[in-house]
Amino acid sequence: MAPERAEGAPAGARPANRPATTAGHRVPPAHTHPRDVPLEDALLALADPVRRTLVRELAEAGAWKRACGSFDVPVTKATLSRHFAVLRDAGLLEQRDAGAKRLNRLRREEFGERFPGLLDLVLAEDRRPVPRSQS
């Protein structure tokens, strides 16, 4: 079945259920504010060692300093994208496009208001290397 086109759109036009892209040819990511995140989602996002590594490195780097491709973690590009989506959905991460790069900001203050002390615990955790996958 062909995707539904917007009413009155010519053949070959963008389907109605697919958002328009920005000048960077990517759809901007959707962000969840920490106030809208249940505790369980926040805990699940921080339970993964790869995501904790991303959070720690973002905290050290400062706002808008790290692009998605600049993290050295033992996962594929697709898996890394999924980890960033989980962090966004948990209200931990904000992203913006800058040319071909997608830059990241840890929402430390906003997340701390919603979940006082939780991010501090994660950031204080002993720095251990991320376990390499067996696959």
Side-chain angles (χ1 to χ4, degrees), residues 52-125:
R52 286 195 309 270
T53 296
L54 297 174
V55 166
R56 278 194 299 272
E57 290 187 18
L58 284 169
E60 292 170 3
W64 311 119
K65 302 292 183 197
R66 296 287 302 269
C68 292
S70 70
F71 294 87
D72 185 25
V73 288
V75 296
T76 65
K77 213 172 169 182
T79 301
L80 184 59
S81 291
R82 179 66 189 137
H83 283 303
F84 282 123
V86 170
L87 292 172
R88 275 195 323 268
D89 291 346
L92 280 155
L93 181 68
E94 187 176 9
Q95 296 181 309
R96 70 176 184 202
D97 291 333
K101 295 179 180 179
R102 182 160 281 175
L103 300 177
N104 299 282
R105 178 182 79 88
L106 184 63
R107 299 178 80 172
R108 192 172 188 163
E109 184 177 316
E110 301 102 303
F111 193 82
E113 288 172 7
R114 172 69 173 101
F115 303 106
L118 180 57
L119 196 51
D120 292 334
L121 284 171
V122 171
L123 295 174
E125 179 185 305

